[in-house]
C-alpha cells in the first residue's frame, strides 16, 4: 500500500511539473492579428453588434449572444413589432420601433449593449443606438450551400433556379433577387449594385475594414474560438446547440456550384 501511494504521488508530481499551463489569450483590436496578452489586460466585451445573415448558421450564433446578454443583464435592440424574435426586417432602424433599454424609457438618451438579429446594415445609424465602440461581427457561408439552404428553407426553389438560368443567358436580366449575391446584399448593397463588379469589390474591401470578425459556417467551431478570444469570453460562453438545421439537404452538383 505504501509503495502504491508513493507511486501515485510521484505521478501527480511529474504531471504538475511537465503539463503546460493554459495560457489566457485576448485579441488586440489595435491590430488585424490575433495576439496573446496577459489576462490582466483582457476585459470582457459588453457592447457588440452581430449582423445576422440568412441560412449561414446565424441563429445558432444569435442564441449565443442572447444567452450572454441575458446572463449579464445587458440591453438588447429588439423590435416591438416582431414579438417572435425581435428581429428588425425590411424596415429602417429607428427609436419608435424598438424596445427601450433596461432602466430606460422610449426616446430616452439611454444606449444599448447588444444588437443581434436581422437588420439593415447602416453603421452610423446602428452606432447611434449603441454604447460606445461596439465590436462588429457577422457570419458567412460558402455561396452554393447558402443558396441551396435559402431557396429550400423558404420554399422558393423554382423562382431561384429560373432566375439563375436567366442570369446565365444575360447577367443583366431582371430575376429573383435571392439568387443574386444575397449574402452581400445583407450588408446594404442594392440588387442593382450586385451587377457592378467594381462596386462589389469595393464593398467587400470596406466591410473587411469595418468588421472586427467574420465567422465562417464551414469552420464554425474554429470561428467560435476566435470570437471567444476577441470578446474575452470563457469556453462556457460559446457552448451551443445547433438551431434551424434541416434533416435533409439537396445535393449540390458541380454544375450548380459553378453557375
Amino acid at each position: 500500500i505504501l509503495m502504491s501511494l508513493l507511486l501515485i504521488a510521484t505521478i501527480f508530481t511529474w504531471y504538475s511539473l511537465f503539463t503546460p499551463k493554459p495560457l489566457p489569450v485576448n485579441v488586440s483590436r489595435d491590430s488585424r492579428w490575433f495576439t496573446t496578452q496577459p489576462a490582466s489586460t483582457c476585459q470582457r466585451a459588453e457592447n457588440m453588434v452581430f449582423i445576422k445573415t440568412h441560412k449561414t448558421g446565424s441563429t445558432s450564433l444569435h442564441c449565443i449572444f442572447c444567452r450572454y446578454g441575458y446572463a449579464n443583464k445587458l440591453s438588447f435592440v429588439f423590435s416591438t413589432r416582431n414579438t417572435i424574435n425581435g428581429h428588425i426586417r425590411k424596415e429602417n432602424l429607428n427609436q419608435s420601433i424598438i424596445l427601450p433599454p433596461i432602466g430606460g424609457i422610449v426616446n430616452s438618451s439611454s444606449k444599448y449593449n447588444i444588437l443581434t438579429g436581422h437588420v439593415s446594415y447602416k453603421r452610423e445609424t446602428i452606432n447611434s443606438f449603441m454604447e460606445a465602440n461596439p465590436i462588429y461581427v457577422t457570419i458567412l457561408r460558402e455561396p452554393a450551400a447558402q443558396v441551396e439552404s435559402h431557396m429550400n428553407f423558404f420554399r422558393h426553389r423554382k423562382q431561384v433556379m429560373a432566375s439563375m438560368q436567366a442570369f446565365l443567358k444575360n447577367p443583366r436580366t431582371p430575376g429573383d433577387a435571392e439568387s443574386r449575391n444575397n449574402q452581400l446584399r445583407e450588408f446594404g448593397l442594392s440588387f442593382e449594385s450586385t451587377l457592378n463588379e467594381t462596386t462589389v469589390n469595393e464593398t467587400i474591401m470596406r466591410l473587411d475594414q469595418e468588421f472586427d470578425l467574420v465567422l465562417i459556417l464551414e469552420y464554425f467551431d474554429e470561428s467560435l474560438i476566435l470570437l471567444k478570444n476577441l470578446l474575452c469570453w470563457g469556453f462556457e460562453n460559446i457552448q451551443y446547440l445547433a438551431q434551424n438545421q434541416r434533416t435533409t439537404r439537396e445535393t449540390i452538383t458541380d454544375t450548380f456550384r459553378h453557375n
Side-chain angles (χ1 to χ4, degrees):
I1 295 175
L2 180 60
M3 292 299 294
S4 298
L5 292 175
L6 287 174
L7 179 59
I8 293 172
T10 301
I11 292 173
F12 275 107
T13 300
W14 287 348
Y15 182 83
S16 62
L17 288 175
F18 297 107
T19 300
K21 302 297 187 295
L23 179 65
V25 297
N26 182 32
V27 175
S28 172
R29 297 187 69 202
D30 296 330
S31 170
R32 297 288 299 200
W33 300 98
F34 290 85
T35 59
T36 58
Q37 296 181 357
S40 59
T41 66
C42 183
Q43 183 175 355
R44 289 199 171 195
E46 290 193 343
N47 305 321
M48 59 205 75
V49 174
F50 169 48
I51 301 298
K52 191 175 188 296
T53 49
H54 286 89
K55 309 313 299 174
T56 58
S58 61
T59 299
S60 299
L61 189 54
H62 168 75
C63 291
I64 289 175
F65 283 111
C66 286
R67 185 180 65 220
Y68 182 82
Y70 295 151
N72 291 278
K73 297 180 173 58
L74 301 177
S75 293
F76 287 84
V77 176
F78 278 153
S79 172
T80 58
R81 300 178 183 179
N82 186 340
T83 58
I84 297 176
N85 50 37
H87 296 327
I88 303 171
R89 288 191 178 97
K90 299 180 180 179
E91 56 184 336
N92 293 325
L93 177 63
N94 63 76
Q95 191 73 59
S96 65
I97 66 169
I98 59 178
L99 292 169
I102 294 176
I105 58 175
V106 176
N107 296 323
S108 72
S109 59
S110 301
K111 301 291 185 179
Y112 297 82
N113 303 111
I114 297 178
L115 189 157
T116 170
H118 293 295
V119 64
S120 179
Y121 176 65
K122 296 179 180 178
R123 194 178 183 92
E124 290 186 7
T125 301
I126 293 173
N127 281 342
S128 69
F129 291 97
M130 304 300 297
E131 292 287 354
N133 198 29
I135 291 174
Y136 276 78
V137 302
T138 190
I139 185 169
L140 298 176
R141 182 180 189 177
E142 190 274 319
Q146 192 271 344
V147 170
E148 184 277 330
S149 179
H150 196 280
M151 70 183 184
N152 288 304
F153 183 85
F154 291 105
R155 296 183 175 87
H156 59 187
R157 182 185 189 283
K158 188 175 182 179
Q159 297 94 311
V160 170
M161 295 301 290
S163 175
M164 192 175 294
Q165 292 302 317
F167 175 82
L168 293 174
K169 294 178 181 178
N170 181 359
R172 297 194 176 276
T173 300
D176 187 275
E178 302 306 331
S179 67
R180 309 288 183 87
N181 211 339
N182 66 49
Q183 288 184 85
L184 189 58
R185 289 193 301 104
E186 305 251 26
F187 299 95
L189 200 65
S190 69
F191 172 68
E192 292 75 16
S193 296
T194 63
L195 302 178
N196 187 313
E197 186 174 357
T198 299
T199 300
V200 168
N201 290 332
E202 289 176 349
T203 302
I204 291 172
M205 294 181 69
R206 174 175 57 80
L207 293 172
D208 182 54
Q209 297 298 316
E210 293 180 354
F211 278 81
D212 297 286
L213 178 65
V214 178
L215 292 84
I216 301 297
L217 175 61
E218 285 74 17
Y219 298 94
F220 191 70
D221 291 336
E222 295 88 338
S223 294
L224 286 181
I225 296 298
L226 299 182
L227 179 69
K228 179 186 79 72
N229 294 344
L230 175 66
L231 302 179
C232 194
W233 282 1
F235 280 103
E236 70 278 4
N237 300 121
I238 59 172
Q239 295 174 352
Y240 70 94
L241 294 174
Q243 303 292 320
N244 285 354
Q245 276 192 327
R246 291 173 295 148
T247 55
T248 60
R249 300 180 187 277
E250 184 176 334
T251 299
I252 301 174
T253 65
D254 291 339
T255 300
F256 180 83
R257 177 169 278 109
H258 175 73
N259 289 342

